[in-house]
Amino acid sequence: MDKFIITGGNILKGKTEASGAKNASLALMPATLLASGKSLLKNTPKLNDVFTMIKLLKHLGVESNFSGTELELDTKNINEFVAPYEHVKKMRASVYVLGPLLTRFGYAKVSLPGGCAWGPRPINLHLESMKKMGADIELTEGYIVAKAKKLNGAKINFDISSVGATGNVLMAAVLAKGTTIISNAALEPEITNLVEYLVKMGAKIEGKNTSTLIIEGVEQLHSAETETISDRIEAGTILVAAAITKGKVLIEKIEPKLLTALLLKLEDSGCKINIFESAIEVDATDIQIKPTNISTAPFPGFPTDMQAQWTAYMTLAQGVSTVTDAIYLDRFMHVPELVRLGADIIVKENNAVIKGVKELKGAKVMSTDLRASACLVLAGLAAKGKTEVLRVYHLDRGYQRIEEKLMNLGASIERVEGQEY
Ligand code: EPU
């Protein structure tokens, strides 16, 4: 398990660019199961969750060729319909193979994902919707066993906006018989990327970018190529890294409108934001960080995947701020680690009250999940002295060597490889 040794205090300056979006890739890759043949996914990020999905697809019979950022997936020989525990336990997004396998082959057996580091993450909406579409679903020995000769279109109204359930049902509906209407569909840009890809494959979908998706099932889809959108969370993490070190950074290859909620909050906290067509510059030179409250919400609200990084930033604000996570009520595993660095934070239910401190001081801290790791790296960049962030394999799941991007901007980060902690 690798660790980072970060020497804090360097001001980040310069420019970098966003990689492809993890959460878009993790939906686009299983979508290739819906047709037979070679698909090309451009701008795919080289990060561990993508490699885990490649392994899972390989297990199902998909051949891959990953060259630069172009991922080719060949689905002509799918011969297995089980997503085993060993893959799903590593990555919950594995559950995305359920919809495509069930709708195209009439059978899927997918390990139940179980809880995650910060609490339960149910998939009841995925399963209830597939049942509504006529699937016979049993839970047995830790597996979802789903069968359906042919799925039927259905009216699906989600009680909660769910990225995963929208993606899974969408993939199931494109080959179902008749019309499916998804109400309260997730509006996340990664879902729009998926909708556009499915349409390129021959799917009939109306309502792109709205909360009502109308899908007219077709007999067959064909393989296609597409471009993965840029990672708004990676870009957001780097913007907050610039802000917490009081630096000035330009990020290219990112559509500013994907990050509106974060950019407004960065402005409220005292940063100057410059918007370009597909680039964002944050200028936090010499700012006094103003306490700025956030509450997470589905897109276009403030993303839960930026909550931990924002919490790190607010530890150095001049006053008291609050951070509320309305999506994942227990996603505060990073807080005790921030406290080890000198932060003053109290968590009550899904609300963190952060009293800004003058400085953070380097210490050893432990990553517990992807975004918590990112938060600790940001705190380490701003802390006085050395911070050791242990277990950065969590970070490697979702960021493509982010330390290299940060180091090119002036950060001092050493990766110490392969030790046990
Ligand atoms: N929910 C249910 N039942 C369901 C599905 C979801 O109650 O069947 C609830 C969840 O517990 C949560 C809310 O609905 O409270 C939203 O969850 P959602 O289904 O949208 O999350 P997800 O699809 O499992 C994706 C991202 C997450 C991101 C969330 C929220 C992928 C692969 N993962 O997860 O990304 O936090 O949406 O935006 O797209 C990350 O990248 O660090 C990450 C965790």
Side-chain angles (χ1 to χ4, degrees):
M1 275 186 263
D2 297 0
K3 68 173 176 182
F4 283 174
I5 302 176
I6 303 173
T7 307
N10 293 4
I11 293 171
L12 299 197
K13 285 212 164 99
K15 70 175 177 184
T16 186
E17 63 180 40
S19 302
K22 168 181 83 85
N23 289 345
S25 287
L26 294 178
L28 296 174
M29 293 167 70
T32 65
L33 294 168
L34 289 162
S36 175
K38 284 186 184 168
S39 303
L40 188 64
L41 304 179
K42 295 180 176 172
N43 198 32
T44 302
K46 281 211 151 95
L47 43 84
N48 285 350
D49 273 7
V50 165
F51 294 124
T52 301
M53 185 60 88
I54 290 176
K55 280 188 199 141
L56 171 58
L57 294 177
K58 184 175 181 205
H59 175 83
L60 304 176
V62 179
E63 284 165 31
S64 66
N65 182 10
F66 203 170
S67 161
T69 58
E70 300 210 336
L71 175 63
E72 186 184 79
L73 296 171
D74 189 346
T75 53
K76 72 175 180 299
N77 290 324
I78 296 166
N79 51 15
E80 170 67 57
F81 310 99
V82 181
Y85 180 59
E86 71 224 55
H87 293 296
V88 182
K89 74 170 189 223
K90 279 200 194 135
M91 187 182 69
R92 301 175 54 84
S94 306
V95 81
Y96 267 140
V97 301
L98 178 66
L101 286 179
L102 177 62
T103 198
R104 179 152 171 238
F105 301 100
Y107 179 81
K109 184 172 170 186
V110 178
S111 173
L112 270 168
C116 83
W118 68 79
R121 285 174 70 189
I123 54 161
N124 58 308
L125 299 176
H126 305 229
L127 302 185
E128 284 160 18
S129 312
M130 309 270 171
K131 276 189 194 162
K132 234 179 156 185
M133 297 173 81
D136 172 21
I137 296 196
E138 266 182 57
L139 300 183
T140 169
E141 294 169 354
Y143 278 80
I144 307 154
V145 181
K147 296 177 199 158
K149 270 206 177 110
K150 181 88 180 158
L151 289 177
N152 294 312
K155 285 191 178 149
I156 310 285
N157 188 358
F158 290 130
D159 296 334
I160 304 172
S161 171
S162 161
V163 177
T166 303
N168 229 340
V169 172
L170 195 53
M171 290 190 275
V174 287
L175 290 178
K177 189 164 177 264
T179 308
T180 300
I181 302 176
I182 307 178
S183 308
N184 196 21
L187 290 168
E188 270 66 8
E190 294 74 22
I191 291 294
T192 305
N193 202 186
L194 175 64
V195 168
E196 285 171 352
Y197 182 47
L198 293 170
V199 169
K200 283 183 183 160
M201 294 175 79
K204 291 194 176 149
I205 305 171
E206 278 174 33
K208 185 180 86 174
N209 270 333
T210 75
S211 58
T212 305
L213 294 172
I214 303 169
I215 306 116
E216 191 65 49
V218 295
E219 275 298 315
Q220 217 181 351
L221 296 178
H222 52 81
S223 53
E225 74 173 56
T226 200
E227 177 95 13
T228 310
I229 56 167
S230 294
D231 198 316
R232 60 197 167 99
I233 306 300
E234 183 207 32
T237 302
I238 294 171
L239 289 170
V240 177
I244 200 174
T245 63
K246 304 195 176 173
K248 184 177 176 186
V249 168
L250 176 77
I251 305 189
E252 295 177 322
K253 271 187 78 179
I254 184 75
E255 266 189 74
K257 70 170 194 273
L258 302 188
L259 279 163
T260 305
L262 173 69
L263 299 181
L264 290 172
K265 290 294 179 180
L266 279 169
E267 275 181 342
D268 289 351
S269 75
C271 299
K272 191 169 178 307
I273 301 290
N274 295 314
I275 300 290
F276 304 93
E277 197 184 325
S278 56
I280 303 166
E281 185 180 60
V282 59
D283 184 356
T285 315
D286 293 331
I287 64 163
Q288 309 286 332
I289 303 171
K290 291 186 201 149
T292 308
N293 304 338
I294 60 125
S295 181
T296 67
F299 190 84
F302 191 98
T304 173
D305 294 340
M306 283 301 304
Q307 181 264 104
Q309 300 89 314
W310 191 265
T311 304
Y313 180 40
M314 284 301 112
T315 63
L316 291 170
Q318 298 210 321
V320 179
S321 56
T322 59
V323 164
T324 304
D325 202 318
I327 310 269
Y328 294 118
L329 309 187
D330 300 318
R331 197 177 196 177
F332 290 100
M333 306 284 284
H334 43 285
V335 166
E337 301 300 305
L338 287 173
V339 169
R340 289 179 53 73
L341 296 173
D344 182 345
I345 309 175
I346 291 174
V347 176
K348 273 201 192 133
E349 294 170 351
N350 63 335
N351 195 31
V353 179
I354 307 157
K355 266 192 209 155
V357 292
K358 275 225 165 69
E359 62 180 18
L360 297 174
K361 289 197 184 115
K364 275 191 184 177
V365 287
M366 183 82 84
S367 301
T368 48
D369 66 74
L370 169 58
R371 306 305 171 187
S373 319
C375 141
L376 297 175
V377 170
L378 301 198
L381 291 176
K384 213 172 161 197
K386 285 198 190 310
T387 297
E388 285 191 28
V389 183
L390 309 183
R391 300 197 176 170
V392 293
Y393 67 85
H394 290 292
L395 195 77
D396 295 333
R397 283 188 55 181
Y399 292 94
Q400 182 178 309
R401 289 255 165 189
I402 195 171
E403 79 272 24
E404 287 171 11
K405 289 191 182 179
L406 294 171
M407 281 159 68
N408 284 336
L409 296 170
S412 167
I413 304 177
E414 184 193 349
R415 180 186 282 263
V416 182
E417 288 187 355
Q419 301 185 19
E420 282 297 318
Y421 302 102

